[in-house]
Structure formats: C-alpha cells, structure tokens
Amino acid sequence: SFYIITWLFYQIVRSDFFATGGSVPTDGSPIEFSINVSGLDDEINKSFGLESICLNATHTWIADLRIVLRAPDGTEVLIVDNIGGDLDSFVNTCLNANASQSIYNAPYPFTGTFKPIGQMGNFNNGQNPNGIWTLIVNDTYPFADDGNIVDWSMSFGNNPGKPFEFTASKQPI
C-alpha cells in the first residue's frame, strides 16, 4: 500500500501537456508551436514548476535546428542549438535541468533525458504557468535542409529545475 500511495502522490503533483508540431520553414524564419497550459496553481517556483520538455523531431541536418522555449510571462530559454551535426532526428529526447548528462555529450539519436543548453530553472521564477507556452524553432542554415517537429510535451512537477540565484560577488553589484 505504501507504493500505491506513493504512486498516487506522484500522479497528483505531476501535470503533463502535449502538442503536435509541424514543418520547420526552410527559409530560416522561426515557427512557433504552442501548448495551452491550464489547471495549475498560479505560481511555479523551486518547489513545483517546469520539470522537462520532450520532443520528437526529424531534420536532414539536425544541427541546423535552434529551439527556444518561451513561457507565458515572456521568459525564454535556449533548449538546443547546433548539436548532432548531419544526423537527422531527436527521438524521445527530454530536456530536464536535473539530468546528469548534457545534451552536448549525448549519443545520437539523443534518446533519453539530458540537461538543456540554457537554464530551464529560470522558468520557475514565481510566474503563473497557466497560459500559452511556445516552442520557437528555426533552421539556422536556410534553404539547405528540411525537417519538422513531430510532437512535443511539457511536464510540471515537484522536482523542477531551480532558478539561477546570484547570491554573492567579490565585485560591486
């Protein structure tokens, strides 16, 4: 019964949101894919917040993709950029600030959970998470390759990335 109670607790404190993607323009212009988050408490922080984003994508040169996540309050974090060389996909790739391995050191096809390039914990800044979250994707080498975001998801829970806190300096602040 301990395991059942633990499982129920985990289910209660975790919320997942899913969306489909679409084609990434080959001309280098960004495209936005959105998820409408609703039903969460009106504050995310270091106790409950964004835990991870996961995606599936194909592209004939995956390193051309630059992917940024934007929160309803306008906070933006770079998720991936210029990784994978001429390889062609992200397969069940999840990015989580608490992962042990960086996406830069991950083996292709990047299946698993990895630290993103940017500080995902910066989303857990006390903002209201309810609203439109946007995945902004662009092909940084226009007119050469094509691809698409197949689908993506976001998970909120009680083990979020922590926001970067500047606590001390030997220089004047």
Side-chain angles (χ1 to χ4, degrees):
S1 82
F2 169 76
Y3 295 108
I4 292 170
I5 292 169
T6 302
W7 179 82
L8 289 172
F9 178 74
Y10 177 75
Q11 294 301 313
I12 292 169
V13 297
R14 184 175 169 96
S15 296
D16 300 318
F17 299 87
F18 303 90
T20 57
S23 295
V24 176
T26 59
D27 65 2
S29 62
I31 187 164
E32 297 182 354
F33 304 104
S34 299
I35 289 179
N36 185 12
V37 171
S38 63
L40 297 179
D41 287 344
D42 57 358
E43 181 181 322
I44 54 176
N45 52 44
K46 60 186 176 182
S47 298
F48 179 88
L50 179 64
E51 286 185 347
S52 64
I53 69 163
C54 299
L55 61 101
N56 288 294
T58 60
H59 196 279
T60 51
W61 193 282
I62 201 76
D64 290 353
L65 292 184
R66 181 176 198 277
I67 302 174
V68 172
L69 182 63
R70 182 174 53 222
D73 77 345
T75 301
E76 292 186 356
V77 172
L78 180 63
I79 303 300
V80 297
D81 188 20
N82 194 30
I83 61 167
D86 65 348
L87 301 171
D88 59 3
S89 62
F90 291 113
V91 178
N92 297 322
T93 305
C94 294
L95 299 139
N96 181 308
N98 298 318
S100 60
Q101 183 179 27
S102 169
I103 188 77
Y104 271 124
N105 301 324
Y108 177 79
F110 309 109
T111 300
T113 303
F114 310 98
K115 283 186 181 185
I117 292 173
Q119 296 293 324
M120 269 181 50
N122 289 346
F123 289 121
N124 302 319
N125 59 9
Q127 71 170 291
N128 186 337
N130 297 297
I132 304 297
W133 288 75
T134 307
L135 197 67
I136 305 164
V137 182
N138 72 299
D139 186 326
T140 60
Y141 194 81
F143 305 109
D145 303 289
D146 56 352
N148 67 73
I149 301 298
V150 177
D151 55 34
W152 68 291
S153 64
M154 300 173 55
S155 297
F156 294 84
N158 63 349
N159 191 25
K162 308 298 185 258
F164 177 77
E165 296 178 8
F166 189 73
T167 58
S169 171
K170 293 183 180 186
Q171 301 297 318
I173 297 177

